[in-house]
Amino acid sequence: MVIARMVAGAGSALAMLTLSGCGMLWSCTDTTAERGEAGVRVDIVDESGRSVGVTAEVTGWRREPHPQVPADGDQIHFQIRFEGAGQGGEPAVDACAVDDKRVVLGCQTIHSLMDFGREGTYTGDEYLAVDRPERVDEVLLIPNDQSVHDRRTCEDDIKDGGGVHPPDMPSPGERL
């Protein structure tokens, strides 16, 4: 009888630990959102592929030295516009310089909050350093929102990590 009560009590204690988040096994899973189609003008999407209500567009670009580090040689100086920003979320996109076959030469994340303009439309310019600026044929934007600040993974935090994460920034040599 005493053993039966101990077994029943142990089962209740295990159930309470599990329900309180102290269980030994977590069902933490990490997934990565599918990378959207790169373009000069994109509708920014969240991790589930839904539009965030902001459009980003590269409005022009040229090769020239950065004025603060001209000794570094040519970089890609491009202009970007975010329309619909400033209404809650401040999305960010990866901008990539590509060659004529859409092979990535270099990328960086551009945050709409960094650019200035009237409410709802932010415009600005950025410099992108690439190894071979003379090969750049176009500057493309990846539509996936990169502004997510809390990117804890299961490896970082098995209890609170996990979920769908934005795709990684394209690496040089990848084709868009």
Side-chain angles (χ1 to χ4, degrees), residues 127-167:
Y127 283 86
L128 177 61
V130 297
D131 285 336
R132 307 268 315 266
E134 70 279 0
R135 291 183 48 208
V136 174
D137 187 62
E138 204 169 16
V139 177
L140 301 177
L141 303 172
I142 309 294
N144 303 84
D145 185 5
Q146 295 292 328
S147 66
V148 178
H149 298 290
D150 184 10
R151 296 188 185 198
R152 288 178 290 185
T153 64
C154 292
E155 187 175 300
D156 297 332
D157 186 344
I158 197 164
K159 181 175 178 246
D160 297 320
V164 181
H165 303 280

Side-chain angles (χ1 to χ4, degrees), residues 63-81:
R63 281 187 304 271
E64 65 183 25
H66 191 291
Q68 294 176 335
V69 285
D72 289 352
D74 282 346
Q75 294 186 16
I76 305 305
H77 182 200
F78 65 98
Q79 293 76 42
I80 188 166
R81 176 175 54 223

Side-chain angles (χ1 to χ4, degrees), residues 75-99:
Q75 294 186 16
I76 305 305
H77 182 200
F78 65 98
Q79 293 76 42
I80 188 166
R81 176 175 54 223
F82 291 92
E83 291 183 30
Q87 299 162 22
E90 299 298 340
V93 292
D94 289 333
C96 299
V98 298
D99 67 11

Side-chain angles (χ1 to χ4, degrees), residues 85-134:
Q87 299 162 22
E90 299 298 340
V93 292
D94 289 333
C96 299
V98 298
D99 67 11
D100 60 344
K101 294 183 174 82
R102 293 175 64 115
V103 173
V104 173
L105 302 172
C107 296
Q108 74 182 40
T109 302
I110 307 297
H111 294 265
S112 63
L113 200 57
M114 289 177 16
D115 299 308
F116 305 98
R118 61 181 164 75
E119 178 85 16
T121 301
Y122 295 167
T123 59
D125 64 308
E126 301 289 335
Y127 283 86
L128 177 61
V130 297
D131 285 336
R132 307 268 315 266
E134 70 279 0

Side-chain angles (χ1 to χ4, degrees), residues 35-39 42-46 92-94 141-145:
R35 185 181 294 154
E37 180 68 29
V42 297
D43 290 323
I44 302 174
V45 297
D46 64 15
V93 292
D94 289 333
L141 303 172
I142 309 294
N144 303 84
D145 185 5

